[in-house]
Amino acid sequence: MTGEVRVKVTHIVFAALMATASAVSAAEAPDNRTPLERYRGGTQFYLLSCSLSFKLATLKAEGDQSQDEKNDYAGCITKGKTVSKSNLGKALRTVKKPKAQEALKTYHVAFVSALEGIFPGTDERRISYEQRQQALKDKVTEAWARFEVEQ
């Protein structure tokens, strides 16, 4: 493995460990968040952790390292969609205005699109992938801003 790949893998592993440590410490503490806060936090967590899992898998493949559960981005994406859909129902029950409910559903669509968008396209160049990822993240951010305006 080249030095540059080793440094990238180290940085991604560190970021993934920090995200996991935050999630574990949050899981140990009582969760006093509202259903809406829990939903939003979960979507942010899965977007970050699944993206990091994909990057780790890519760097390990480039460095001829074996894959493990830490870089199972497909499993992460599946779990993120399942957990978030469950939390969405609970969050929607706390939102009173119909326009805000629709905006939250729009946010969920943007979230699922971004989560599924972590999968690379066939023969997709790295720069195209990064641009697509940024566009998907921008849509998620915009959808949440719209929800906040409608709420």
Side-chain angles (χ1 to χ4, degrees), residues 87-109:
N87 288 339
L88 174 64
K90 296 170 190 166
L92 280 169
R93 287 191 284 279
T94 68
V95 177
K96 303 298 179 214
K97 296 179 182 177
K99 283 188 175 185
Q101 289 177 341
E102 285 304 312
L104 189 58
K105 290 176 186 176
T106 300
Y107 171 81
H108 188 73
V109 170

Side-chain angles (χ1 to χ4, degrees), residues 110 114 131-145:
Q131 289 170 341
R132 185 171 56 80
Q133 288 300 296
Q134 188 58 53
L136 289 168
K137 287 176 187 174
D138 290 346
K139 286 181 182 179
V140 170
T141 300
E142 181 180 329
W144 185 259

Side-chain angles (χ1 to χ4, degrees), residues 48-147:
L48 176 64
S49 63
C50 296
S51 179
L52 288 173
S53 293
F54 172 73
K55 288 179 182 180
L56 181 60
T58 302
L59 289 172
K60 281 187 164 187
E62 289 172 359
D64 291 328
Q65 291 185 335
S66 62
Q67 305 295 323
D68 57 28
E69 70 279 348
K70 291 181 186 102
N71 51 328
D72 177 16
Y73 65 95
C76 181
I77 290 168
T78 300
K79 185 175 181 182
K81 290 190 313 187
T82 303
V83 170
S84 296
K85 185 171 183 170
S86 171
N87 288 339
L88 174 64
K90 296 170 190 166
L92 280 169
R93 287 191 284 279
T94 68
V95 177
K96 303 298 179 214
K97 296 179 182 177
K99 283 188 175 185
Q101 289 177 341
E102 285 304 312
L104 189 58
K105 290 176 186 176
T106 300
Y107 171 81
H108 188 73
V109 170
F111 160 73
V112 170
S113 296
L115 201 59
E116 289 177 346
I118 292 171
F119 289 113
T122 307
D123 297 326
E124 185 174 29
R125 293 180 28 219
R126 180 170 277 171
I127 187 70
S128 299
Y129 176 80
E130 294 297 332
Q131 289 170 341
R132 185 171 56 80
Q133 288 300 296
Q134 188 58 53
L136 289 168
K137 287 176 187 174
D138 290 346
K139 286 181 182 179
V140 170
T141 300
E142 181 180 329
W144 185 259
R146 176 156 174 84
F147 166 72

